[in-house]
Amino acid sequence: MLEKSNAVILNITKHTDKTIIVNAYTEKYGRTAYVFILGTGRRSRLQRALFAPFALLSIECDYRPKEQFQKIKSVELLYPQQLQFDPVKGAVALFLSDFLLHVIREPEPYPSFFRFLSDSIILYNAMQEGKANFHLCFLFALSSFLGFYPDTNTYTKGAYFDLINGVFTTTPPMHKHYLSQKESANFMLISRMNFRNLHHFTFSREERRLVLDKIIEYYRIHQGFSPLKSPDILKLLFD
C-alpha cells in the first residue's frame, strides 16, 4: 500500500546511471534509505535538485519495513528550499546533514525530533541575521534529543566544562577531556542561544572554530563516530 511521509533529506549517492540512494529522516519511519529512479535530461537535473541536503519533502512509497531500500513513487517539495542559493547556509546544511548521518543510529520514528528538525530548517531558510551561529545552536539543542545535553545549572564563573560527565566544575577534572575557563564560558554562551536571538552573539572566526571543535569532541565522546570532513568548509567561510 502506498504511504506518504514528510522527510528531511540527509544526503544522496549515485547507485546506477539512472538511480540514486536517498538517506532521509522521516516523520513516520525515522531514518530511512530510499531508491529513486531519475528521469532523463533536464528532468533528471530538476529531480536531483529536490534532494538537496536539508530539503523538506513529502515522499510517497510502497513502504516495506524489511527492505533495505524503499522505492520512491513520487516526491513533493514541502517548503521552498533557499539554502543552496546562499554559500554560508548551503555549507551549514551540508555539514549538519553529514553530522546527522553519523549520530542518528536508531531507525524508529521520533516525532518531537522530526518537529525540531523541520522547524529548525524552516527558520534557517528565512534567517537573515545570525546565520553563522546557527550550526552551534543546532548542535547544542540536538544533544538534548540524544540524551547528553550539558548540565548548565552547574555553571559558575571561572568553571571548567567536563566533556565526559557533561557538567561544569570549579577545578579541572582528573582527565584531559575538559574545556578551559574561556572555552567553558563560550560553551555556556551557546546554551543561551535560540534560533531567534542568534544575531546578538558575536564570535571571532577563531572562537567559532574552537567552539565547533569542542562540540564535535563532546559528541565523539558520547556517540563515537569517525572524523568529519565537512567542518573544514565552515572554517573557511565564517568570519
Side-chain angles (χ1 to χ4, degrees):
M1 186 173 99
L2 293 179
E3 295 186 34
K4 284 187 176 182
S5 179
N6 294 341
V8 172
I9 301 305
L10 301 180
N11 82 339
I12 65 170
T13 55
K14 183 179 179 180
H15 184 51
T16 69
D17 289 341
K18 295 182 179 180
T19 60
I20 56 173
I21 300 299
V22 179
N23 281 292
Y25 191 82
T26 69
E27 188 172 20
K28 278 188 179 181
Y29 316 118
R31 181 169 170 173
T32 307
Y34 295 95
V35 62
F36 182 67
I37 301 173
L38 296 165
T40 58
R42 184 171 180 272
R43 184 184 176 194
S44 173
R45 293 192 295 273
L46 291 173
Q47 288 174 327
R48 282 179 181 271
L50 276 177
F51 296 102
F54 264 29
L56 274 171
L57 306 178
S58 173
I59 294 176
E60 184 179 46
C61 72
D62 183 7
Y63 187 74
R64 302 186 181 193
K66 294 183 180 180
E67 296 291 330
Q68 182 181 6
F69 300 114
Q70 306 301 321
K71 294 181 181 179
I72 295 177
K73 299 297 183 182
S74 67
V75 62
E76 178 185 358
L77 188 65
L78 287 177
Y79 188 86
Q81 173 72 298
Q82 301 296 321
L83 301 182
Q84 68 267 38
F85 302 115
D86 181 310
V88 172
K89 289 183 177 181
V92 167
L94 180 63
F95 163 65
L96 291 178
S97 59
D98 183 35
F99 197 95
L100 288 169
L101 278 171
H102 283 75
V103 301
I104 297 175
R105 309 280 173 76
E106 301 301 324
E108 290 79 12
Y110 189 173
S112 60
F113 178 52
F114 183 84
R115 284 195 299 274
F116 163 72
L117 287 181
S118 56
D119 289 349
S120 299
I121 290 167
I122 289 170
L123 283 171
Y124 195 40
N125 268 279
M127 191 176 292
Q128 298 298 320
E129 297 181 298
K131 59 188 178 183
N133 291 327
F134 175 84
H135 60 298
L136 303 179
C137 182
F138 180 92
L139 293 177
F140 216 89
L142 175 64
S143 67
S144 67
F145 292 94
L146 300 176
F148 50 90
Y149 188 83
D151 185 355
T152 55
N153 292 324
T154 57
Y155 179 76
T156 56
K157 188 176 181 180
Y160 302 83
F161 184 68
D162 182 333
L163 291 165
I164 292 177
N165 295 299
V167 297
F168 292 90
T169 60
T170 56
T171 57
M174 300 297 289
H175 55 75
K176 65 178 182 179
H177 299 291
Y178 66 91
L179 307 187
S180 69
Q181 291 172 315
K182 183 177 180 181
E183 290 169 341
S184 298
N186 283 337
F187 208 69
M188 186 64 191
L189 271 180
I190 304 299
S191 74
R192 294 172 180 158
M193 288 182 176
N194 59 60
F195 294 138
R196 299 189 185 280
N197 70 5
L198 296 179
H199 59 287
H200 293 303
F201 295 83
T202 303
F203 295 100
S204 68
R205 172 183 288 187
E206 182 65 11
E207 286 173 330
R208 192 174 286 113
R209 182 187 69 79
L210 287 172
V211 169
L212 177 59
D213 285 346
K214 296 304 179 181
I215 291 176
I216 292 174
E217 182 181 353
Y218 185 54
Y219 270 83
R220 266 203 202 105
I221 288 170
H222 292 272
Q223 286 285 100
F225 54 80
S226 56
L228 302 167
K229 296 180 181 179
S230 46
D232 295 334
I233 301 171
L234 305 185
K235 293 170 188 175
L236 294 173
L237 283 174
F238 296 135
D239 293 321

